[in-house]
Amino acid sequence: MSGLPSSRRVAAPAEDAPPPRPGGIAARALGRGTPDYLEKLNPEQREAVETLDGPVLVLAGAGTGKTRVLTTRIAHILATGRARPYEILAVTFTNKAAREMKNRVGDLIGGVVEGMQWLGTFHSIGARMLRFHAELAGLKSGFTILDTDDQIRLMKQIIQAEGIDEKRWPARQLAGHIDGWKNRGLAPKDVPEGDAHVFADGRGRKLYAAYQDRLRTLNAADFGDLVLEPLNILRAHPDILADYHRRFRYMLVDEYQDTNVAQYLWLRLLAQGRRNICCVGDDDQSIYGWRGAEVDNILRFEKDFPGAKVIRLERNYRSTAHILGAASHLIAHNESRLGKTLFTERADPDATRVAVSSSWDSEEEARAVGEEIEQLQRKGHILNEIAILVRASFQMRAFEDRFVTLGLNYRVIGGPRFYERQEIRDAMAYFRVVAQPADDLAFERIVNLPRRGIGEATMKVLHDRARARRIPLIDAAEDIVETDELAARTRTALRDLLASFERWRAQLAHLRHTELAEIVLDESGYTGMWQADRSAEAPGRLENLKELIRSMEEFDSMLGFLEHVSLVMDVDAQAGADAVSIMTLHSAKGLEFDTVFLPGWEEGLFPSQRTLDESGRAGLEEERRLAYVGITRARKRAHIRFASNRRMHGLWQTSIPSRFLDELPEAHVDVTEETSTYGGYGMNAYGASRFDSRDPFQNTYSTPGWQRAQKNRSGMSESAMGGYGNFSGPKQSQRYIEGELVAKSTAASSAYARGERVFHQKFGYGRITAIEGNKLTIDFEKAGQKRVLDSFVERH
DNA sequence: TAATAGAAAATTTTT
DNA sequence: TTTTCTATTA
């Protein structure tokens, strides 16, 4: 997209412009009483569509027709002539959702919607805004968008430049902090003192500033900037904000529960104009807190937008009463929620309850699921309607292994996306250097790929020169090959490479970009490198490169393609053959299947111990929402499983059933006893009481198997674990306790102060360098810097 | 500069 | 256990 001067493009229609004339569909809609698109809605949905003025929050439970409301609302606005397509701001989180919205609005109004320029993801709309006003953010309109990989490489350089030990302060971690700050709408100067101290002894803020500086020099923005910079521009320039206020007659937001602070501030600022904002979301499905999403945004909506109308969609069209009953009862254990209860009007007498069963270990778990799937298959169920939803991707392997032996078709959804694969990123880096020579990050990525003898030492020379003269790396390279600073061999290699780029760039104008792409990959030796590679994945990588070239055909220029890739990082997974889907719970949000298997419901894994440690009670609630999302994916059958033993990072761990199992209502659940599991040991030392203490629901199953499990669990003493050397008993105990302690103390701030000397059982003596809630960053005398919970240290 | 051996770290991931 | 990164050596 070319950046035109902003005023023209953004100029809103004059205030006194005549309202858009109702034509075609609109006339039909107005002329004949109720248009038929409204008649297909239930009363709540219809209210959500027809309440067009003022702020509206639609709390849409799972399977209650959320997308239908959103798309019908847009169609209604257009059909009644209240706004033109380009006067509607409609934001989603994924490209997929944006695409679907566009298509469905098109279906409703009978044709393709043209001109909805402001329908898209937060990031693509942010990028669009930022290109109009790039100079206000210190960028040029043609800025490049960096992805996570580029970000981390860049931060690595900055950390090195600052002379900070990379091992103690990994770039990844810094990237996480900076991302978090951007998510919260903070510029480097706004980062609170305490926050700045979590990284590199207080140099966090400085590094953030240096990173932003570097981005400006590279004329680049990262994903966070695509939201943060437009927000800053709107904050600083009331005239621009007013322009947008005039323009956006209606605003719609999908998945509002997933918005972060920056996105929220951006929306709020824009909504201050006409106040016609409609947010659709489900607080019970907020599962991206770890990525900066604030459930609070949705919980607070009525306060933020006084006079807001809240509409609840609770009529579920997806699942059986048993599934809804189980999910509703589970999620009712959360305290921070607005409260909804899903119900269904359909009665299906032969609906099955939610099944809970157990296995000895993950292999047996996979075997059992495999068998059940084969049974379903014999009964005529298709595999496309079956999904296995796991908490963490390492769980997938057992299923894949098993399904391969069974010859059962499966597909893994998620995982590294097409454009994130190494070979694709490498190829893209070549294209970037051809199209935008100043792209240092891309240049660095491929200078020595395939190996050309241009190693670390040479790069240092290039970097020094580039920095000294404030020129891009490639220009520095041009200079240096004219001198004798480099060994003859490396100089020749570098000169050849530069000449190649020169040649390709000359062809940019008169060759088709797909053809040029092939030439670049061939002549650079990149394709050859993979052809010579004898490893198992090489053929697949070559195939991916071909696919990349194929996908370029849809674009008319190299630049157009590069722009697309940076924002639309997904390629549709082709449906293909009948297959079982395996994916994480996170990637299952928004999908539905007849049958859903939910394996691995064990303490530590689900709820994830790490989440509990990091986010305490809030983390536990988010895990519970994840469980809720999992169950509500099922239309007809949900099978929950847990295993008594699981191998994690190569070590066997005994596990105990997830507390979420205790939170399911007996009336909707069938617990199956599987002989191999309750053989005597397997349960561990923790009393059932641990779950009961604050459980208002008092339900544990009366099934013999479950009762026995509970008994075993409480009857077993710590010493009884002693005989099983490779089951790490003590670790278990610590695990659980950590979770509880955190849960209790999250709200309160730590009792320790910075600079205090403390003692830790494992790490010895150290001094506190930073405090974040109940997490302390401590510089240990022997063990170096660690982050630990305050409950594990004592004053000294 | 490149290959190799050894150590450290291992969720979830819309853009 | 496996993968990924870093320090060492040829």
Side-chain angles (χ1 to χ4, degrees):
Chain A
M1 197 190 301
S2 71
L4 299 180
S6 50
S7 52
R8 251 184 194 280
R9 298 292 297 270
V10 180
E15 202 64 326
D16 55 351
R21 189 199 307 230
I25 333 121
R28 236 175 35 233
L30 294 174
R32 254 208 251 132
T34 316
D36 58 341
Y37 60 82
L38 285 182
E39 286 187 335
K40 289 181 193 153
L41 303 176
N42 68 38
E44 304 85 57
Q45 292 175 332
R46 189 157 166 184
E47 192 185 8
V49 167
E50 290 189 303
T51 313
L52 291 177
D53 297 315
V56 178
L57 174 64
V58 180
L59 285 173
T64 56
K66 172 195 78 155
T67 312
R68 166 167 251 172
V69 164
L70 227 31
T71 51
T72 312
R73 191 176 159 100
I74 294 176
H76 191 56
I77 291 168
L78 293 174
T80 53
R82 282 171 166 258
R84 302 178 182 89
Y86 55 85
E87 291 169 330
I88 299 173
L89 174 70
V91 261
T92 63
F93 276 88
T94 64
N95 291 297
K96 193 175 155 207
R99 228 177 298 132
E100 194 190 345
M101 205 183 282
K102 199 168 239 168
N103 291 337
R104 285 177 62 172
V105 172
D107 291 347
L108 282 168
I109 64 170
V112 186
V113 229
E114 287 299 333
M116 288 212 60
Q117 302 151 14
W118 300 99
L119 186 162
T121 63
F122 274 100
H123 293 87
S124 62
I125 289 175
R128 187 180 165 84
M129 272 194 183
L130 190 53
R131 290 206 194 277
F132 289 146
H133 313 289
E135 62 306 334
L136 297 177
L139 290 165
K140 278 171 270 165
S141 164
F143 62 82
T144 42
I145 298 166
L146 302 188
D147 59 27
T148 328
D149 206 77
D150 292 328
Q151 265 184 66
I152 290 178
R153 291 153 158 275
L154 200 55
M155 287 188 203
K156 215 173 236 168
Q157 291 175 10
I158 287 164
I159 289 174
Q160 273 166 353
E162 281 289 313
I164 292 168
D165 181 9
E166 253 191 284
K167 282 192 81 177
R168 253 176 79 179
W169 302 105
R172 273 197 97 80
Q173 202 187 322
L174 179 64
H177 287 302
I178 291 183
D179 211 46
W181 293 326
K182 289 190 175 179
N183 286 160
R184 281 156 56 198
L186 303 173
K189 63 173 166 45
D190 304 322
V191 174
E193 192 62 32
D195 270 47
H197 269 275
V198 294
F199 195 83
D201 309 315
R203 279 176 288 184
R205 196 186 290 143
K206 191 176 170 208
L207 290 166
Y208 178 16
Y211 169 71
Q212 288 305 99
D213 242 35
R214 194 80 184 94
L215 285 180
R216 294 295 105 92
T217 345
L218 290 168
N219 193 30
D222 64 19
F223 284 128
D225 287 337
L226 296 182
V227 179
L228 182 60
E229 295 298 353
L231 169 65
N232 287 336
I233 290 168
L234 295 184
R235 285 203 270 215
H237 300 274
D239 51 320
I240 295 176
L241 178 61
D243 266 356
Y244 284 107
H245 281 163
R246 251 171 274 132
R247 157 157 304 228
F248 297 137
R249 289 173 185 262
Y250 293 93
M251 293 170 59
L252 295 96
V253 187
D254 190 19
E255 306 276 20
Y256 188 61
Q257 77 283 352
D258 288 339
T259 50
N260 62 37
V261 173
Q263 288 160 338
Y264 158 79
L265 292 171
W266 180 79
L267 286 170
R268 201 179 60 173
L269 219 46
L270 288 170
Q272 274 164 6
R274 303 187 180 257
R275 297 183 31 87
N276 294 330
I277 183 169
C278 172
C279 294
V280 179
D282 182 358
D283 50 323
D284 292 333
Q285 291 188 66
S286 164
I287 54 175
Y288 284 104
W290 50 275
R291 259 182 133 267
E294 288 278 340
V295 217
D296 231 42
N297 291 345
I298 195 166
L299 301 178
R300 254 193 358 236
F301 189 85
E302 292 174 85
K303 279 194 205 102
D304 290 331
F305 298 97
K309 178 144 204 170
V310 178
I311 297 166
R312 285 183 161 74
L313 304 183
E314 300 173 295
R315 198 183 303 251
N316 176 290
Y317 296 98
R318 179 187 296 160
S319 313
T320 67
H322 281 311
I323 288 164
L324 294 181
S328 300
H329 194 269
L330 173 84
I331 199 67
H333 288 75
N334 270 4
E335 278 164 21
S336 311
R337 65 190 293 255
L338 293 164
K340 281 185 270 63
T341 311
L342 296 180
F343 65 92
T344 176
E345 281 170 349
R346 288 178 313 179
D348 25 0
D350 39 77
T352 51
R353 296 178 177 212
V354 172
V356 174
S357 40
S358 60
S359 325
W360 171 246
D361 62 14
S362 46
E363 271 95 53
E364 197 194 291
E365 186 177 67
R367 212 174 306 131
V369 171
E371 264 163 40
E372 284 190 63
I373 291 174
E374 286 186 321
Q375 264 177 40
L376 288 168
Q377 216 177 2
R378 278 196 288 276
K379 284 193 238 157
H381 294 100
I382 61 166
L383 299 181
N384 280 332
E385 278 306 331
I386 300 174
I388 298 169
L389 311 183
V390 297
R391 171 68 246 258
S393 37
F394 75 83
Q395 292 173 260
M396 293 179 180
R397 223 171 106 181
F399 293 98
E400 291 194 60
D401 287 351
R402 186 65 196 154
F403 294 172
V404 168
T405 26
L406 288 178
L408 197 62
N409 250 343
Y410 70 88
R411 83 184 124 237
V412 172
I413 299 188
R417 279 179 294 279
F418 184 72
Y419 288 112
E420 279 170 11
R421 288 164 206 224
Q422 188 193 324
E423 66 276 16
I424 301 302
R425 296 188 44 81
D426 291 341
M428 297 289 305
Y430 270 104
F431 305 157
R432 277 161 64 183
V433 177
V434 172
Q436 302 155 342
D439 194 332
D440 282 2
L441 287 167
F443 179 72
E444 253 182 300
R445 185 179 179 105
I446 46 79
V447 238
N448 201 27
L449 200 88
R451 295 265 139 91
R452 301 187 172 94
I454 302 169
E456 226 177 297
T458 315
M459 285 315 289
K460 187 167 182 329
V461 175
L462 290 187
H463 264 135
D464 288 348
R465 192 173 190 97
R467 204 169 311 129
R469 311 208 169 171
R470 306 182 152 275
I471 52 171
L473 278 175
I474 197 162
D475 294 344
E478 297 275 5
D479 284 359
I480 279 183
V481 289
E482 299 304 323
T483 70
D484 50 5
E485 275 184 65
L486 298 177
R489 217 167 149 170
T490 38
R491 190 170 50 203
T492 319
L494 190 57
R495 188 183 287 142
D496 285 353
L497 181 69
L498 292 171
S500 298
F501 273 115
E502 202 80 17
R503 198 170 60 245
W504 299 325
R505 213 164 290 138
Q507 291 169 309
L508 196 55
H510 42 85
L511 267 184
R512 276 180 49 76
H513 62 289
T514 45
E515 241 172 289
L516 179 60
E518 275 181 80
I519 291 175
V520 170
L521 295 185
D522 265 358
E523 294 186 356
S524 63
Y526 189 73
T527 322
M529 181 184 92
W530 287 117
Q531 280 161 347
D533 192 304
R534 289 280 141 241
S535 65
E537 63 264 30
R541 294 190 195 269
L542 286 165
E543 195 45 53
N544 287 337
L545 288 173
K546 277 196 203 129
E547 176 62 38
L548 177 70
I549 309 263
R550 257 194 303 263
S551 70
M552 288 175 78
E553 287 188 7
E554 294 169 34
F555 299 86
D556 31 53
S557 74
M558 186 70 91
L559 269 173
F561 175 69
L562 292 175
E563 165 76 19
H564 163 87
V565 170
S566 47
L567 278 175
V568 186
M569 296 287 277
D570 65 341
V571 173
D572 271 329
Q574 55 278 63
D578 193 34
V580 178
S581 301
I582 305 178
M583 67 188 99
T584 64
L585 287 160
H586 283 90
S587 39
K589 195 170 81 164
L591 304 178
E592 53 186 285
F593 301 89
D594 281 343
T595 307
V596 165
F597 288 93
L598 300 160
W601 282 42
E602 295 130 40
E603 282 294 302
L605 175 60
F606 191 38
S608 145
Q609 191 59 40
R610 189 139 158 197
T611 301
L612 258 37
D613 289 347
E614 277 167 15
S615 317
R617 174 134 225 119
L620 175 62
E621 297 214 340
E622 181 154 313
E623 293 287 303
R624 194 177 279 118
R625 292 192 289 266
L626 208 42
Y628 173 80
V629 167
I631 297 172
T632 53
R633 296 310 95 194
R635 282 194 282 255
K636 296 180 181 146
R637 285 167 291 273
H639 284 205
I640 300 173
R641 309 195 61 97
F642 64 92
S644 311
N645 299 289
R646 192 172 287 277
R647 198 166 44 185
M648 286 175 107
H649 320 313
L651 281 174
W652 281 100
Q653 306 258 182
T654 21
S655 39
I656 56 175
S658 169
R659 65 189 78 185
F660 297 151
L661 290 167
D662 295 317
E663 297 173 357
L664 296 170
E666 196 174 353
H668 297 295
V669 171
D670 261 336
V671 180
T672 314
E673 185 180 358
E674 267 168 50
T675 41
S676 56
T677 306
Y678 300 123
Y681 57 98
M683 289 302 152
N684 86 349
Y686 301 98
S689 61
R690 82 197 200 288
F691 294 130
D692 302 339
S693 52
R694 48 171 179 70
D695 181 4
F697 295 88
Q698 297 286 325
N699 66 244
T700 326
Y701 312 105
S702 52
T703 337
W706 191 258
Q707 293 285 313
R708 198 149 358 123
Q710 293 290 343
K711 213 172 123 207
N712 282 340
R713 192 198 259 166
S714 49
M716 190 158 265
S717 69
E718 187 86 37
S719 61
M721 295 299 301
Y724 309 96
N726 54 345
F727 296 129
S728 43
K731 201 168 174 197
Q732 276 276 320
S733 86
Q734 234 186 17
R735 277 223 227 148
Y736 170 67
I737 291 164
E738 277 182 40
E740 258 319 282
L741 284 177
V742 174
K744 281 188 193 122
S745 58
T746 21
S749 61
S750 173
Y752 294 88
R754 206 137 57 76
E756 249 183 295
R757 194 173 138 87
V758 290
F759 178 77
H760 185 280
Q761 282 284 326
K762 200 148 87 207
F763 306 131
Y765 292 98
R767 204 166 283 285
I768 299 175
T769 55
I771 300 168
E772 239 194 318
N774 60 346
K775 273 166 285 181
L776 309 175
T777 307
I778 299 174
D779 223 349
F780 287 106
E781 283 155 22
K782 298 248 164 55
Q785 186 120 5
K786 304 269 178 205
R787 291 228 300 165
V788 297
L789 291 175
D790 60 3
S791 46
F792 283 84
V793 296
E794 50 196 63
R795 264 198 195 82
H796 221 273

